[in-house]
Amino acid sequence: MTHMTRVKAASVLSAALMLPGLTAGAAAAAPAHAGASAHSARHIPFTAAEVTAQNDGSYKITWTASGVRHVTVRANGRTVASGGSTGSVTVTGLPAADRQWFDLVPDRGRGLHLADRLIKLDGTTNFRDAGGYRTTDGSWVKMGVVYRSDALDRLTTADLAKLKRLGISVDYDLRTTSERTGAPDRVPSGARYVVANVIGDDSAVFAMPTTAEGAAQMMVDGEKAMVSGATAKAAYSKVFAGIVADADGSLYHCTAGKDRTGWASATLLTALGVPRETVMADYLASNTYRAAVNAATLAAMPAAQAAVYKPMLDVRAEYLNSGFAEVKDKYGSFASYEKKALGIDPGELRRLKAQLLVG
């Protein structure tokens, strides 16, 4: 690796993440059509659906629902829009709320309960819902249960009150000791605080990259370490054990909410059956949510330095793909990684899905 001799991947990643700005019986007796009817009632016909808050206070709701003729959109107990099997509507005039929820109700099958993925807080830029995604078998990951974020040290009193109202009950801090000490979390009253240090504190030997190519390679190596590194396996095992035990109100975060947090979400969504392309889109969304912060950070640097830093501020497909490649190389399959590295057995996986999937 050019300019990167004597470098431990996890140690270098740690240094990068601390840079400024990186921050059965009865059923058998039932008529066949009764079983089909029950299945139809549970089935979610939506193949795509999303709520996006607009800067003017309105909300854009889009959906595609196979085999449906009519979809009603409800908010705060009243109908605010409607459409056919495919729709895109903009809803205005809703009262202020911590988080605006919408119910998409089809004329057949089960509906969806959705909100904008981003949670707007004064002290964060990348605090968002981990759910709202469709799985390969047609289920959906519940929203309002598990969250992901960047650092929480700048949360305001109003932010903390909002998170308490949203039901945040446990905060899994994925950062190193120096990060936690330098920027300690602020958590809602009553929420548990759990340390789950992903990359450890061994930073005795490291060298910062001097080229953009070296920086990108550092991020690739760091992603691999988050899969097979001993401290990473221990940390993520702790997080997932907690979520399996009780997912409701769970929050995990690192400094920028993109790398260590990104792998946590990629692992969770993959375990739940979300397709890889959707997992990748969720991962890459950090580039959008952190765009302004990243741009300001780079603008404050000399051009040559900014060119080297940019790969460390980015999330890139090659980074996440290297993590999945490490899973295949070290464990053979994702199911094996879940069991051997994270300690999630089939029974626990069923419990996780029961808590987080609908449909």
Side-chain angles (χ1 to χ4, degrees):
M1 186 190 307
T2 306
H3 303 295
M4 298 288 287
T5 57
R6 300 186 303 107
V7 177
K8 294 182 180 180
S11 300
V12 177
L13 184 62
S14 175
L17 291 172
M18 290 183 280
L19 291 171
L22 292 175
T23 39
H33 66 82
S37 177
H39 172 76
S40 178
R42 294 192 302 269
H43 172 66
I44 298 176
F46 294 94
T47 56
E50 187 172 32
V51 172
T52 306
Q54 308 295 301
N55 291 332
D56 62 0
S58 65
Y59 296 85
K60 182 179 180 181
I61 303 99
T62 61
W63 69 87
T64 300
S66 178
V68 166
R69 294 182 178 181
H70 185 266
V71 172
T72 300
V73 180
R74 298 177 62 82
N76 307 322
R78 66 184 182 91
T79 298
V80 294
S82 63
S85 61
T86 298
S88 178
V89 299
T90 298
V91 178
T92 62
L94 296 177
D98 285 336
R99 194 177 187 196
Q100 182 61 61
W101 288 90
F102 294 88
D103 289 297
L104 278 62
V105 186
D107 57 10
R108 57 184 297 177
R110 188 168 179 171
L112 288 176
H113 188 57
L114 302 176
D116 184 275
R117 189 161 284 108
L118 182 68
I119 311 299
K120 293 185 178 180
L121 300 168
D122 293 328
T124 65
T125 61
N126 201 11
F127 193 115
R128 46 188 164 119
D129 201 304
Y133 295 116
R134 187 175 186 266
T135 67
T136 55
D137 67 358
S139 298
W140 282 74
V141 183
K142 293 178 185 177
M143 300 192 81
V145 182
V146 178
Y147 300 89
R148 53 176 293 173
S149 183
D150 47 345
L152 306 179
D153 60 299
R154 297 185 179 182
L155 292 181
T156 65
T157 299
D159 288 339
L160 292 172
K162 183 174 182 176
L163 294 186
K164 187 174 181 62
R165 292 192 298 269
L166 289 178
I168 300 301
S169 61
V170 56
D171 164 28
Y172 296 100
D173 191 339
L174 309 182
R175 302 175 301 163
T176 64
T177 299
S178 60
E179 289 173 286
R180 299 193 310 271
T181 301
D185 276 3
R186 301 195 69 197
V187 297
S189 61
R192 290 190 298 116
Y193 176 74
V194 180
V195 173
N197 186 342
V198 170
I199 59 178
D201 297 321
D202 181 8
S203 301
V205 180
F206 70 88
M208 290 305 299
T210 58
T211 66
E213 292 77 13
Q217 185 62 51
M218 182 194 75
M219 300 303 289
V220 166
D221 292 343
E223 194 77 22
K224 292 180 179 181
M226 287 189 285
V227 172
S228 54
T231 55
K233 289 186 290 186
Y236 287 128
S237 292
K238 182 186 293 187
V239 174
F240 283 98
I243 293 176
V244 168
D246 185 5
D248 196 39
S250 296
L251 160 67
Y252 47 80
H253 81 94
C254 54
T255 293
K258 66 184 187 74
D259 300 308
R260 289 163 288 186
T261 298
W263 182 250
S265 276
T267 298
L268 176 64
L269 295 176
T270 300
L272 292 173
V274 175
R276 181 69 60 83
E277 58 268 28
T278 305
V279 173
M280 180 62 77
D282 177 73
Y283 173 78
L284 294 177
S286 284
N287 284 332
T288 298
Y289 293 120
R290 293 188 56 81
V293 171
N294 289 349
T297 299
L298 294 174
M301 299 178 181
Q305 184 182 17
V308 176
Y309 270 56
K310 189 178 187 305
M312 295 184 286
L313 292 172
D314 288 349
V315 284
R316 300 180 180 181
E318 64 181 293
Y319 302 167
L320 185 61
N321 283 337
S322 70
F324 283 113
E326 184 78 353
V327 166
K328 184 176 181 179
D329 181 53
K330 293 295 192 296
Y331 301 96
S333 68
F334 195 84
S336 179
Y337 168 69
E338 290 170 350
K339 184 177 181 179
K340 295 179 180 179
L342 304 180
I344 304 175
D345 64 30
E348 290 170 321
L349 182 57
R350 286 193 295 271
R351 179 170 179 173
L352 184 68
K353 290 182 176 181
Q355 291 191 83
L356 291 175
L357 297 181
V358 292

